[in-house]
Amino acid sequence: AAVASGWQPLPVAGSGVELAHAVLPFALWSIDVRLLRWLNPHVSWSEESVSLPANYAAEHGDSPVGAVLACVGVVAFEVYVQQLLAAPLTLGGSPVLGSASLIALTAGLLNHALANGLLNGLLCAEFYWTVSLMFGLSNSVLPVGIYHHLMYSMPTFVTRYQLAVDEAPSPAAHTLLLHATLAA
């Protein structure tokens, strides 16, 4: 009924618990980049490539207003996505792993693979799995939006990561194994 009528409560509460959950994306970002660096020793990784401040500065430069606007835009997008996909499933009583899997396969793998190719679909399936679990556990879009924003703010890491995938004997298999490891 919520999807049909277009009404769903806004998944941002502004509570202390929600703000505590908003710290999670920073830890996940750090874990993700370090794990991917460790899983790809055949590429030279500078400390700058796995540093959030360095990546953030490379993406947003000296524009704090631009960085804030970018974050607000991504959070607004995630409000839409989480209200449309995750909230009806998670808040409707579906098992968290089931709804996360469904969202990872549809919004992540199928949508992104059709639009941008299989490698991008594999990357996005793990991302949507992560954010769906994050939403399912917090019932808040705030940590999801922050994590998504951080993932857009990593150009030096992405350059090294893309080199790791390109140099692999089978880029699709390499990407699938890397992101299955992250998803686990």
Side-chain angles (χ1 to χ4, degrees):
V3 173
S5 68
W7 167 251
Q8 191 71 10
L10 186 64
V12 177
S15 68
V17 171
E18 181 179 53
L19 293 177
H21 287 165
V23 173
L24 178 63
F26 296 96
L28 278 178
W29 189 94
S30 184
I31 291 166
D32 278 355
V33 298
R34 281 167 177 71
L35 181 59
L36 285 168
R37 177 176 69 172
W38 182 73
L39 291 169
N40 291 284
H42 62 285
V43 174
S44 173
W45 296 85
S46 67
E47 282 305 311
E48 183 178 84
S49 67
V50 293
S51 162
L52 181 56
N55 273 278
Y56 207 80
E59 180 67 23
H60 301 290
D62 294 330
S63 175
V65 172
V68 168
L69 290 175
C71 187
V72 168
V74 173
V75 170
F77 170 77
E78 285 297 342
V79 166
Y80 163 74
V81 169
Q82 297 305 320
Q83 282 186 313
L84 182 64
L85 296 172
L89 292 169
T90 304
L91 301 179
S94 296
V96 172
L97 293 178
S99 65
S101 298
L102 181 63
I103 292 166
L105 288 173
T106 56
L109 180 63
L110 294 176
N111 178 47
H112 284 267
L114 289 172
N116 304 312
L118 179 61
L119 285 176
N120 188 259
L122 293 170
L123 294 169
C124 291
E126 181 264 322
F127 171 79
Y128 278 94
W129 165 261
T130 302
V131 296
S132 296
L133 287 177
M134 196 181 298
F135 179 79
L137 296 173
S138 71
N139 290 331
S140 170
V141 77
L142 189 59
V144 173
I146 291 170
Y147 184 69
H148 197 161
H149 174 65
L150 293 177
M151 288 310 203
Y152 279 144
S153 303
M154 52 194 298
T156 54
F157 173 79
V158 168
T159 300
R160 304 312 305 158
Y161 174 78
Q162 190 60 51
L163 183 61
V165 170
D166 290 345
E167 289 182 355
S170 173
H174 188 76
T175 302
L176 179 61
L177 290 172
L178 287 174
H179 290 276
T181 302
L182 285 178

